[in-house]
Amino acid sequence: MDKTTPAMQQFYDLKKQVDDCLLFFRMWDFYELFWEDAHIAHRVLWISVTSRNKNAVEPIPLAGIPYHAKSKYLPMLISAGYKVAIAEQVSDPKLKWIVKREIVRIITPATLELEWEEYSQVENTNILLSITKENDIYWMSFLEMNSNKWYTCEFKTFESLKNELYKISPKEVILDKKLFWDNEIKEVLEKKFWLNIYYFSSQNNAQKSLKNHFWVKNLDGFWLQNKKIAIFAANLLLEYLSHNQKEDLGFLQSLSYMNFDSFMNLDDSTIFSLDLIYNLSTKSSSVWTLLWVLNKSKTAAWNRFLREQIIKPLQSIEEIKTRHNYIQEFYDDKILLDEIRQNLVFVADIDSILNRIALNRTNPRDLLNLKKSLESVVEVINIIEQKGSQKLKNIIKQ
């Protein structure tokens, strides 16, 4: 029998913790994958599979990628539907005993852009969503990772839940463990919406967990009083994200109960048939759609805002008129509009950068882009204060 080395024993111990993930096991300047993980990496990444301990009775299949190439290969694995756990060296490799390794985070479709700026989805929302069910009522909680907008809501039928799913377009869905075996839900999520689905079992008291997270005595201020299952759905999402990121999520500072009455109800068939955000003939989410025609925005935040407004049109006449009045101000002053747009070109995805800063994953480019963005925002404010109408000046004072 071949003797297991201390390093491989570390691998086996860590793999047990994340048996549903591919494990990037840090070995000096490489991430190494073993056994079935190595074969998956070969199929998806087209990298060679060798073996560790070639002279052993049962050589261990091995595939490796350079540490600095992680940004190239991670998106390919995530796009193929895999979760990736990162095991880093956390002790000094110069010490005599074996280097200690720990899983520092688990990367999933919705959390990929928390790694680097290159992963940011400028044109699309990046949403993590959880679903649970109680007494034939479906409860959903979803978090827009780009802006940290966090909502919870309820649906009395599965049909109404499906309609909202199409509008939200989440990157991944977490099902309460008891729902993971519901074939109707899984079939819709997998075959109709092509979503990445994972199940998760909450271990904590949901209400207590959320109160501790927000540092509050009760959740009344979030409009969640007496909404036990809404609280459960929100906490399921929070626990899942906390479990994977293994960092303080204090930057998630608000949670809202969403009421859909203020929006026009467009079902998924209507959105699909009218080519609002997806073109049936070209099979494209960006070309020859209404969003593609209207989108002249200069910033990532406005890209996402415009998409949301197309699939969730306002119903309030007063709100629509107010918005049109502001637009008219810019329409009547083309010079002012052009000057502002020239400055908006330099505004990066600020919310995503702030998230990476909060998670200690920022880099010099992030900081430089944040500096340029803030300077541009200040310049836009100065332009409006100097040349804008009183109505526009009121916007920046709000």
Side-chain angles (χ1 to χ4, degrees):
M1 179 179 291
D2 295 317
K3 184 177 179 182
T4 301
T5 64
M8 285 307 298
Q9 188 59 54
Q10 273 190 346
F11 168 80
Y12 293 131
D13 292 341
L14 293 176
K15 184 64 177 176
K16 287 178 184 177
Q17 300 175 25
V18 289
D19 56 359
D20 62 337
C21 302
L22 301 180
L23 180 59
F24 272 28
F25 190 73
R26 181 72 180 272
M27 298 282 279
W28 303 104
D29 291 332
F30 284 81
Y31 286 113
E32 296 188 352
L33 299 96
F34 300 102
W35 295 106
E36 181 60 24
D37 290 2
H39 293 300
I40 292 173
H42 168 67
R43 292 195 300 269
V44 177
L45 307 178
W46 292 87
I47 58 177
S48 300
V49 175
T50 58
S51 60
R52 181 184 177 91
N53 220 354
K54 294 181 180 180
N55 297 323
V57 175
E58 187 179 8
I60 299 171
L62 161 68
I65 63 169
Y67 169 75
H68 58 79
K70 180 172 65 171
S71 60
K72 172 185 176 182
Y73 292 113
L74 265 179
M76 298 167 67
L77 290 169
I78 297 299
S79 297
Y82 296 100
K83 296 192 291 184
V84 179
I86 307 294
E88 295 285 5
Q89 298 174 170
V90 295
S91 65
D92 189 347
K94 295 180 181 179
L95 298 177
K96 293 182 180 180
W97 46 83
I98 185 171
V99 177
K100 184 179 179 182
R101 295 175 177 86
E102 292 179 357
I103 295 173
V104 295
R105 60 187 170 277
I106 298 171
I107 301 169
T108 64
T111 59
L112 179 63
E113 76 168 46
L114 294 176
E115 296 298 307
W116 291 285
E117 176 195 25
E118 290 85 350
Y119 296 158
S120 295
Q121 301 295 312
V122 174
E123 296 183 356
N124 299 314
T125 54
N126 186 32
I127 290 177
L128 175 65
L129 181 147
S130 65
I131 303 175
T132 189
K133 180 183 178 183
E134 185 83 7
N135 297 327
D136 295 324
I137 295 179
Y138 294 88
W139 293 85
M140 180 171 75
S141 182
F142 62 96
L143 170 66
E144 185 178 316
M145 303 294 295
N146 309 93
S147 61
N148 297 336
K149 293 179 181 177
W150 187 10
Y151 301 100
T152 185
C153 44
E154 65 178 296
F155 302 91
K156 292 183 170 56
T157 65
F158 185 59
E159 193 64 32
S160 58
L161 172 63
K162 283 196 299 182
N163 289 337
E164 196 57 33
L165 270 177
Y166 188 77
K167 300 174 192 176
I168 293 174
S169 298
K171 283 289 182 64
E172 65 181 286
V173 175
I174 314 151
L175 292 180
D176 183 11
K177 194 170 184 177
K178 62 186 178 184
L179 282 182
F180 195 70
W181 311 111
D182 188 315
N183 291 330
E184 181 187 16
I185 291 179
K186 289 186 68 177
E187 184 170 350
V188 169
L189 295 178
E190 289 178 336
K191 295 183 179 179
K192 184 171 183 177
F193 297 118
W194 310 288
L195 294 173
N196 298 283
I197 309 170
Y198 309 111
Y199 77 82
F200 190 73
S201 182
S202 175
Q203 303 297 322
N204 299 327
N205 178 293
Q207 191 164 35
K208 183 178 179 181
S209 180
L210 284 181
K211 287 193 293 186
N212 289 341
H213 175 79
F214 291 117
W215 292 79
V216 295
K217 292 184 177 181
N218 59 64
L219 299 172
D220 295 357
F222 301 99
W223 301 93
L224 294 176
Q225 60 269 37
N226 303 320
K227 292 183 172 64
K228 178 181 176 182
I229 311 303
I231 293 171
F232 180 84
N235 184 65
L236 187 70
L237 185 151
L238 179 66
E239 272 194 57
Y240 173 83
L241 190 59
S242 179
H243 171 78
N244 286 349
Q245 293 300 299
K246 305 185 186 303
E247 295 279 359
D248 179 32
L249 303 178
F251 58 88
L252 300 178
Q253 298 178 352
S254 66
L255 172 63
S256 303
Y257 179 76
M258 176 168 277
N259 189 328
F260 297 99
D261 293 341
S262 58
F263 306 115
M264 183 184 296
N265 184 23
L266 301 179
D267 59 28
D268 58 334
S269 297
T270 302
I271 296 172
F272 195 74
S273 300
L274 295 178
D275 296 339
L276 298 183
I277 56 175
Y278 182 85
N279 186 283
L280 185 61
S281 59
T282 62
K283 296 183 179 180
S284 170
S285 59
S286 58
V287 179
W288 300 117
T289 63
L290 179 61
L291 177 60
W292 179 78
V293 172
L294 296 178
N295 193 4
K296 301 296 186 292
S297 53
K298 298 294 185 182
T299 66
W302 191 259
N303 267 297
R304 296 189 289 267
F305 177 80
L306 181 59
R307 181 188 184 279
E308 183 177 4
Q309 297 308 304
I310 289 175
I311 58 178
K312 291 183 179 178
L314 292 174
Q315 292 198 114
S316 168
I317 297 297
E318 290 304 315
E319 287 188 54
I320 293 172
K321 285 182 178 179
T322 299
R323 183 175 293 177
H324 284 179
N325 288 336
Y326 286 129
I327 293 172
Q328 189 67 43
E329 293 294 316
F330 287 109
Y331 185 81
D332 292 338
D333 193 342
K334 297 293 198 307
I335 296 177
L336 175 67
L337 176 61
D338 289 343
E339 196 169 348
I340 289 175
R341 285 173 60 81
Q342 288 172 15
N343 281 277
L344 290 176
V345 170
F346 302 103
V347 178
D349 198 341
I350 295 177
D351 290 313
S352 294
I353 294 175
L354 293 178
N355 283 348
R356 290 193 290 275
I357 291 175
L359 293 170
N360 296 315
R361 291 176 202 162
T362 190
N363 56 43
R365 183 188 296 177
D366 276 333
L367 299 179
L368 182 60
N369 286 339
L370 181 59
K371 174 179 177 289
K372 290 180 179 178
S373 299
L374 295 177
E375 289 174 345
S376 297
V377 170
V378 171
E379 184 60 27
V380 167
I381 292 173
N382 290 336
I383 291 170
I384 293 176
E385 287 180 338
Q386 295 169 13
K387 304 177 183 179
S389 65
Q390 187 58 48
K391 188 175 292 186
L392 293 178
K393 291 176 183 178
N394 292 335
I395 295 180
I396 61 179
K397 292 179 180 178
Q398 294 176 0

